[in-house]
């Protein structure tokens, strides 16, 4: 069964490549985004209480066997697919509608069925349809016995009116091209690239850009809850999916059933703060991997046998790919950019399963000058298949993130403060970073400004929510899980001690037992429960 590829935490791609992105717009003027309108957050009555939404809440899903997917030849039989009709704009629901792609893995024991478990894999931009289709084994046992597992592609992603920006050739250039070392050249290139990317998205998908934010998706989630026949939402959200689940609890607290939020994002952190936190988390994981490689696998570690110097050797190798990229069998080169994407992809996995594969890939690259294993990991991370086609992850990630909080450009003082924090806590990978570089992690040039603001989510009146955090999570650090749980009016934090992004499906018996008891029976784990790797 295919494993789901890693999904990015809720941040922007900070190293946009100017040459690649300027190809995207041709005759389009990047300055056309200036003075763009503000996309207001949905307002007015929400949910089934709004008469204007009655038709959406009354719909019934027509489920049918899913068509064969060549990318998933081993897909479990019995999967059913459908569509959900939702308003493009919840403030004017009669004007235009979208159809969202759905998939269902029916409960294995219908007489023991609790309801539906709706899942989101993260991103933003990850496909819930792909999550269910490609990883049914992760739900084997009690979850599959008791639940219809339902995945959906959120608006703007996958097969649900996806945001379009760049074509495959342009995305190849984007992911392979390294940004200039010179700060002034890097600032000019990144700014030009950012404007060009934004203009490309506006030219191809401008109609839906104001409406792809997570608050709208949370409202779609409530329509879906009603359509599958559940009085309360049972939900599993991973990474960015925790933000979606938190917003749902804020919008519809009395409709919450059993919500698992795994690999949590702090909703009170703004866009820049979230990006910096993730970058620091990635370097911490990067260091732990390199030190473990040298300490525990000295005989075959390509970074040497000294844990004190191994992290720097890893950084030197990745940075050295700028001037000495490695050839690969398909004709592309392994650059510093793709090498870093590959490293991140492996670090999203657990120390038991992914770290050995990263050692193998680095050994091939460093000692044998073969870049194929690392490039394959970068392709999986970036959503590129073997035919060179990309999914819509990059465009959706950008569009949803900007719809969720791209209201204002950070002040020079804040850029300096966050730059100093990054360099102090991630000195290896942030070496040479300037405050101006951090603008690449904002929506300064996005064509629509969001009314959403970072804030603590209380969700007063909700059912008990289960937040799950992993101590060595590289993308959404454990402190974010602590903050999210503390912010809720009614939540418990479950801790996994170990490496990797997220706890669900990692084979940790303690975590699996706790999640099953909560989702199937509503039993909340004792406060302070910690599960070792």
């Amino acid at each position: 069964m295919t494993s789901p590829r890693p999904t990015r935490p809720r941040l922007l791609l900070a190293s946009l490549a100017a040459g690649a992105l300027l190809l995207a717009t041709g005759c389009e003027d990047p300055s056309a985004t200036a003075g763009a309108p503000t996309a207001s957050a949905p307002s007015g009555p929400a949910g089934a209480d709004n008469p204007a939404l009655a038709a959406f809440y009354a719909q019934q899903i027509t489920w049918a066997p899913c068509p064969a997917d060549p990318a998933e030849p081993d897909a479990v039989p019995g999967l059913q697919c459908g569509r959900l009709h939702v308003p493009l704009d919840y403030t004017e629901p009669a004007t235009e509608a979208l159809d969202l792609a759905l998939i269902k893995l029916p409960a294995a024991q219908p007489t023991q069925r609790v309801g539906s478990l709706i899942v989101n894999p993260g991103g933003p931009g990850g496909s819930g349809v792909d999550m269910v289709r490609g990883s049914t084994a992760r739900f084997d046992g009690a979850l599959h016995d008791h639940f219809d597992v339902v995945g959906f592609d959120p608006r703007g992603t996958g097969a649900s009116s996806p945001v379009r920006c760049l074509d495959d050739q342009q995305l190849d250039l984007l992911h392979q091209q390294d940004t200039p070392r010179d700060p002034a050249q890097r600032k000019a290139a990144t700014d030009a690239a950012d404007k060009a990317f934004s203009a490309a998205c506006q030219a191809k998908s401008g109609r839906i850009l104001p409406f792809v934010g997570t608050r709208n998706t949370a409202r779609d989630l409530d329509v879906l809850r009603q359509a599958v026949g559940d009085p309360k939402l049972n939900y599993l959200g991973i990474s960015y999916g925790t933000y979606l689940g938190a917003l749902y609890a804020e919008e519809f607290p009395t409709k919450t059933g059993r919500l698992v939020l795994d690999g949590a994002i702090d909703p009170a952190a703004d866009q820049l703060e979230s990006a910096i936190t993730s970058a620091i988390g990635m370097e911490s994981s990067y260091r732990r991997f390199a030190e473990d490689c040298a300490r525990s696998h000295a005989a075959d570690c390509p970074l040497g046998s000294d844990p004190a110097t191994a992290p720097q050797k890893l950084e030197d190798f990745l940075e050295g790919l700028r001037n000495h990229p490695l050839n690969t069998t398909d004709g592309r080169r392994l650059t510093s950019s793709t090498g870093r994407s590959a490293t991140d992809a492996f670090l999203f996995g657990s120390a038991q399963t992914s770290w050995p594969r990263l050692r193998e890939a680095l050994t091939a690259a460093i000692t044998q000058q073969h870049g194929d294993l690392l490039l394959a990991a970068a392709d999986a991370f970036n959503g590129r298949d073997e035919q060179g086609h990309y999914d819509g992850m990059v465009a959706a990630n950008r569009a949803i993130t900007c719809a969720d909080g791209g209201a204002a450009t950070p002040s020079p003082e804040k850029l300096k403060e966050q730059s100093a924090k990054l360099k102090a806590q991630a000195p290896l990978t942030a070496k040479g970073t300037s405050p101006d570089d951090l603008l690449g992690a904002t929506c300064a040039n996005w064509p629509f400004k969001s009314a959403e603001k970072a804030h603590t989510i209380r969700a007063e009146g909700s059912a008990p929510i289960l937040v799950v955090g992993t101590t060595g999570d590289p993308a959404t650090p454990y402190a974010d899980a602590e903050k999210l749980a503390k912010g809720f009016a009614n939540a418990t934090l479950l801790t996994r001690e170990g490496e990797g992004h997220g706890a669900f499906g990692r084979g940790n018996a303690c975590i699996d037992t706790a999640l099953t008891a909560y989702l199937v029976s509503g039993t909340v784990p004792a406060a302070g429960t910690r599960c070792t790797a």
Side-chain angles (χ1 to χ4, degrees), residues 241-260:
T242 66
Y243 180 63
L244 172 58
L247 277 189
Y248 180 88
E250 182 176 62
E251 285 272 313
F252 306 100
T254 63
K255 296 297 184 182
T256 55
R258 299 161 191 172
L259 272 60
V260 173

Side-chain angles (χ1 to χ4, degrees), residues 365-446:
I366 294 172
T367 67
Q368 302 167 22
Q369 297 295 292
H370 293 162
D372 293 77
L373 293 178
L374 286 175
L375 187 61
D379 284 348
F381 188 73
N382 293 325
R384 186 185 195 272
D385 66 20
E386 294 180 355
Q387 289 71 47
H389 301 309
Y390 285 86
D391 62 18
M393 184 71 166
V394 170
N397 186 280
R398 175 78 170 199
I400 296 169
T401 302
C402 289
D404 280 350
T409 302
S411 67
E413 292 74 23
K414 180 151 190 175
L415 289 171
K416 289 180 182 178
E417 169 198 314
Q418 292 296 311
S419 177
K421 178 181 178 180
L422 179 63
K423 293 172 81 169
Q425 298 185 43
L428 272 182
T429 53
K431 184 179 180 181
T433 300
S434 72
D436 287 338
D437 292 327
L438 302 190
L439 283 172
T442 72
C443 294
N445 297 304
W446 195 245

